[in-house]
Amino acid sequence: MNDVFPPPPEGEGSRLTHAIAAYLGLAIGDALGATVEFMTPREIAAQFKVHDQLIGGGWLKLKPGQVTDDTTMALALGGSILEAGQVDAHAAARAFDAWMRARPVDIGSTVRRGLLAFRKTGDPKMPSSEHDAGNGAAMRVLPVALATLGLPEADARAACRAQAHVTHNNRLSDAATETLALMVRDALLGADKLDLLHHRAHPLVRDHPEFAFRAVRQRLNPSGYIVETLQAVFQAFFDTDSFEDCLIDVVNRGGDADTTGAIAGMLAGAVYGPTAMPKRWLHGLDAATRHACETQARQLLEIGARKSA
Ligand code: MN
Ligand code: MN
């Protein structure tokens, strides 16, 4: 147990605590993974044996518990949804642009390119591209999952694409981004891990065989390519039974570890809920970030509930 959340009740209450856990999981995974981003599993093992503490550092020289673009872009997107009252591509693009102007600690090349194009054209939709299959749209999708909780699946998918296409307009990025958001929605509505495997992960692989995550024996050192990112996340998520084991598994693979950590933390938080989160990680997370995640989760869920009425 931890002292951050009230005891987990059933129904509406547990939906809220699991939504908060998903948002905190995203941030914790980001902060944990950033320490070992771009390292190989061998380098990580040599330096840490097992990396499992929020100690900052890494190539970005972070403070302990500090997050990166994965979390701060999600918060920027969430802010735009709260302001507009719904997911809106223009509002999202403006929020991302303001986020970029504020000099984030890191920024992906596809994100930068998309936002520079938006500044020029005012169009919040990039042309579709076979090459823009990075994980930058998927890593920030959580607020869409929360704000669309009461909407039909097709509307939720459209909202995912609207925010994604500001920077990434790509079929594999779309498929992954939509799948992740729907997995979070399902988990908040009571689905367990096996449900998510059968109803979301398997259909994704059926429709887009690139994502097959059992065929690759070990997805060690996943890159920022959305396929490798999701393969690593799914292996870690489906092969472990706790929030802590899932995150330790995925970040110790190195590579784009802050982003695999963020995505895995979001899924594991949504499924396992708040009581599964190690105290040392909850308390180690940057305090302002933790507060922002908790507040947004609450407010976005209110929008999600309103839509269903
Ligand atoms: Mn990052
Ligand atoms: Mn990353």
Side-chain angles (χ1 to χ4, degrees):
M1 289 292 291
N2 61 69
D3 56 4
V4 175
F5 300 98
E10 294 303 313
E12 296 290 321
S14 91
R15 189 171 302 167
L16 173 61
T17 58
H18 282 238
I20 294 173
Y23 226 135
L24 292 175
L26 178 86
I28 287 170
D30 182 6
L32 185 71
T35 303
V36 294
E37 189 182 19
F38 301 134
M39 291 173 72
T40 65
R42 187 191 290 261
E43 288 166 347
I44 296 168
Q47 191 169 337
F48 301 102
K49 270 204 192 112
V50 175
H51 170 55
D52 62 359
Q53 303 291 331
L54 293 187
I55 52 173
W59 73 282
L60 294 170
K61 301 187 177 9
L62 300 170
K63 292 185 246 106
Q66 188 180 352
V67 295
T68 75
D69 55 346
D70 308 70
T71 306
T72 56
M73 281 202 96
L75 288 167
L77 175 59
S80 81
I81 296 171
L82 293 172
E83 224 178 279
Q86 60 184 341
V87 180
D88 177 84
H90 277 98
R94 282 194 302 271
F96 293 150
D97 190 24
W99 167 85
M100 183 163 74
R101 284 181 201 280
R103 302 178 138 275
V105 291
D106 64 339
I107 179 167
S109 57
T110 308
V111 167
R112 183 191 301 278
R113 187 155 21 91
L115 296 179
L116 292 177
F118 170 70
R119 274 186 201 173
K120 231 186 215 159
T121 65
D123 184 354
K125 183 173 178 177
M126 287 294 275
S128 102
S129 159
E130 268 307 299
H131 306 292
D132 293 342
N135 56 26
M139 73 185 189
R140 64 183 185 226
V141 78
L142 174 60
V144 178
L146 305 184
T148 63
L149 197 61
L151 293 183
E153 181 174 321
D155 296 348
R157 286 183 183 272
C160 288
R161 288 194 299 276
Q163 76 81 16
H165 291 180
V166 175
T167 54
H168 297 63
N169 187 350
N170 174 275
R171 67 181 181 93
L172 294 173
S173 165
D174 285 354
T177 302
E178 292 168 36
T179 297
L180 289 168
L182 294 172
M183 287 172 82
V184 170
R185 283 174 23 127
D186 291 351
L188 297 184
L189 297 173
D192 62 20
K193 229 172 46 176
L194 214 56
D195 296 327
L196 300 183
L197 179 67
H198 291 303
H199 296 129
R200 298 300 180 192
H202 286 167
L204 173 70
V205 173
R206 189 194 59 217
D207 295 344
H208 303 276
E210 292 93 333
F211 287 102
F213 56 99
R214 293 300 179 207
V216 249
R217 254 225 137 97
Q218 298 261 42
R219 183 47 84 185
L220 291 178
N221 221 227
S223 71
Y225 176 39
I226 187 59
V227 170
E228 292 191 14
T229 300
L230 225 60
Q231 286 170 331
V233 167
F234 281 175
Q235 285 183 2
F237 177 61
F238 289 118
D239 289 348
T240 56
D241 287 307
S242 75
F243 180 85
E244 185 172 12
D245 289 349
C246 173
L247 283 200
I248 291 173
D249 178 321
V250 87
V251 302
N252 280 276
R253 298 165 187 238
D256 198 354
D258 60 325
T259 304
T260 59
I263 295 174
M266 166 183 86
L267 291 179
V271 167
Y272 299 119
T275 54
M277 308 179 90
K279 263 189 179 181
R280 72 181 192 282
W281 287 350
L282 278 169
H283 294 151
L285 186 62
D286 171 74
T289 301
R290 176 168 141 187
H291 179 73
C293 291
E294 289 172 353
T295 305
Q296 271 206 4
R298 257 174 236 286
Q299 294 173 339
L300 290 165
L301 217 52
E302 278 168 28
I303 289 186
R306 199 160 74 217
K307 292 288 179 190
S308 65

